[in-house]
Amino acid sequence: MAQWITGKVVQVKYWTNSLFSLIVHAPIDIFTAGQFAKLGLEINGEKIQRAYSYVNAPRNYNLEFYLVNVPEGKLSPLLHALQPDDNLMITKEASGFFVLDEIPICEHLWMLATGTALGPYLSILEQGEGLERFKQIILVHAARFSYDLSYLPQMLKLQQRYNGKLRIQTVVSRESALGSLTGRVPDLIADGSLEASVDLRLSAENSHVMLCGNPQMVRDTQQMLKNIRGMRKHFKRKPGHITIEHYW
């Protein structure tokens, strides 16, 4: 049974009309980069809750969550309306196995995200622990439009920090934008465009893929990697090449 505690909103970042980030202070337990918490509000006597990945590194006491306001949603419009000093509920203990300890040794680690699912990768990269065993890390953030790439400045700073080890590629699906590929992630892998853009080969021999985001993207990319690249889902007892985030 999850233990809920009270968190206080200290900042709200409005990236677009629908994309926003909450900065929260709360006495949570230490978490591992890549994990998620549940945020909740009590509405008419009912606790409405959803899982959101931490964007911040575990050593950062500013707890950051990247969200999209879904107008018909039960919780996100209410979270979108929060202001500094407002309270919300947060689980004291983090959950999830989308962490580096679960990733097998490989040369190239591909981090593929759509939309707000970028969060766990930023947490992992900001923490910076356990990455020395990878020769190259490729971070791909896909969104509909270039203005949806909220954390691109932070991604570029990380790229400089890792001094050639980290390669960044953005993807937009509904426009052409300088520096970004246009299309859907599985299609860009299938036709070789993504690999060409970062000058690396994605293969079962030397790569591991982390997938987080739109369920259709995750399904299509996993199926394409299985059919075309001979890659399979990773399990601790049956090592593979693809790790997928599962929220519960």
Side-chain angles (χ1 to χ4, degrees), residues 5 7 44 91 101 138 142 157 159 188 195 208 240:
I5 58 175
N44 298 324
T91 47
D101 285 349
I138 307 92
K157 285 182 181 179
Q159 184 171 241
L188 295 169
E195 291 158 292
H208 193 92

Side-chain angles (χ1 to χ4, degrees), residues 4 7 9 11-14 18-24 37-43 48-52 65-70 73-84 86-90:
W4 290 85
V9 176
Q11 185 182 0
V12 185
K13 301 177 184 178
Y14 300 104
S18 59
L19 291 170
F20 67 106
S21 295
L22 292 176
I23 313 296
V24 177
K38 289 183 180 179
L39 302 182
L41 292 170
E42 189 166 307
I43 309 299
I48 308 298
Q49 58 181 287
R50 297 288 184 273
Y52 299 101
F65 303 93
Y66 186 30
L67 302 86
V68 60
N69 180 17
V70 180
K74 286 187 175 182
L75 182 61
S76 62
L78 301 173
L79 295 175
H80 188 256
L82 291 175
Q83 297 295 314
D86 285 343
N87 290 336
L88 78 171
M89 293 180 288
I90 181 172

Side-chain angles (χ1 to χ4, degrees), residues 12-166:
V12 185
K13 301 177 184 178
Y14 300 104
W15 304 106
T16 67
N17 289 337
S18 59
L19 291 170
F20 67 106
S21 295
L22 292 176
I23 313 296
V24 177
H25 285 175
I28 61 166
D29 292 341
I30 294 296
F31 68 94
T32 301
Q35 289 190 303
F36 63 87
K38 289 183 180 179
L39 302 182
L41 292 170
E42 189 166 307
I43 309 299
N44 298 324
E46 179 186 3
K47 183 189 296 175
I48 308 298
Q49 58 181 287
R50 297 288 184 273
Y52 299 101
S53 292
Y54 285 102
V55 175
N56 59 291
R59 62 173 173 267
N60 188 342
Y61 66 90
N62 288 318
L63 310 178
E64 185 162 355
F65 303 93
Y66 186 30
L67 302 86
V68 60
N69 180 17
V70 180
E72 65 274 16
K74 286 187 175 182
L75 182 61
S76 62
L78 301 173
L79 295 175
H80 188 256
L82 291 175
Q83 297 295 314
D85 291 329
D86 285 343
N87 290 336
L88 78 171
M89 293 180 288
I90 181 172
T91 47
K92 193 172 192 294
E93 184 178 354
S95 301
F97 300 96
F98 202 65
V99 298
L100 287 184
D101 285 349
E102 299 292 326
I103 305 300
I105 295 174
C106 64
E107 287 187 33
H108 301 157
L109 178 62
W110 295 74
M111 299 174 162
L112 309 184
T114 57
T116 57
L118 178 68
Y121 301 131
L122 293 179
S123 181
I124 289 169
L125 291 167
E126 285 290 353
Q127 185 71 358
E129 296 176 357
L131 296 171
E132 60 280 346
R133 58 194 173 98
F134 307 110
K135 184 177 180 180
Q136 293 286 331
I137 303 165
I138 307 92
L139 175 60
V140 178
H141 186 207
R144 296 177 304 169
F145 300 98
S146 58
Y147 57 71
D148 294 324
L149 300 169
S150 312
Y151 285 87
L152 182 56
Q154 183 174 340
M155 292 164 63
L156 295 176
K157 285 182 181 179
L158 284 166
Q159 184 171 241
Q160 291 183 331
R161 170 179 153 188
Y162 283 95
N163 194 27
K165 187 184 184 78
L166 174 64

